[in-house]
Amino acid sequence: MPETAASLAPTAAPSTPTRRRSLAVALTVSRVVLALFLGFSAVAKLGAHESAVQSFGRMGWGGGAMYVIGGLEMAGAVGLLVPLLAGLAATALVGLLAGAAIVQLTLLDPVNAVMPALLVVLVVLIARDGREGTARLCAPLRRRGRDDAGQWTKR
């Protein structure tokens, strides 16, 4: 049976809207999974789980730091679940996770620094995807400025 030109043509790549939709689904799933991961981590810290207490003790940090970091993780987890806040939460989580990677490298177990370092890449992608929501949230701040006397004024 002879082959026609149509049968030899390569199959078309997925259309741009299909790729965008797939990316949006992947990022949404990533946000939910990351929020669950951070939520469980936060609960361990906020509940003073023995492993969290021991880790913070090994670092020489007190319980206050454990509760603050647990609170920041919980706030980030909740923020990731709210589409308007996801970009802003992910932006804040970049700093938290970068700090976690540095702490793992310097104070705890360097091998475990891989996980927060990889999560930084994920939250950067989430932050980039949510930049429109972040811009909407930050717009009122950009409309304000300081006059020569250092007082806040509307522009």
Side-chain angles (χ1 to χ4, degrees):
M1 172 179 220
E3 297 182 60
T4 64
S7 67
L8 295 176
T11 57
S15 66
T16 303
T18 302
R19 267 191 246 164
R20 282 190 204 135
R21 192 173 311 120
S22 297
L23 179 61
V25 168
L27 285 172
T28 300
V29 169
S30 297
R31 282 187 6 238
V32 171
V33 170
L34 182 58
L36 289 172
F37 174 80
L38 289 171
F40 284 121
S41 177
V43 166
K45 290 172 182 75
L46 295 172
H49 189 271
E50 185 179 331
S51 64
V53 172
Q54 287 176 354
S55 291
F56 279 83
R58 282 178 46 206
M59 291 185 287
W61 296 1
M66 179 178 67
Y67 293 119
V68 168
I69 292 172
L72 292 172
E73 286 178 344
M74 187 60 76
V78 170
L80 287 174
L81 296 175
V82 178
L84 180 64
L85 299 176
L88 187 59
T91 302
L93 286 169
V94 168
L96 188 69
L97 291 169
I102 291 167
V103 165
Q104 285 290 343
L105 278 172
T106 59
L107 299 176
L108 295 173
D109 187 8
V111 174
N112 290 334
V114 172
M115 177 61 95
L118 289 175
L119 291 177
V120 166
V121 174
L122 178 60
V123 294
V124 165
L125 293 172
I126 294 169
R128 185 179 184 281
D129 183 59
R131 65 189 180 274
E132 289 177 15
T134 302
R136 272 188 286 165
L137 288 171
C138 295
L141 298 174
R142 278 185 264 144
R143 285 190 290 249
R144 298 181 71 88
R146 290 185 183 228
D147 62 15
D148 293 334
Q151 300 295 316
W152 285 102
T153 61
K154 285 202 172 201
R155 288 186 183 175

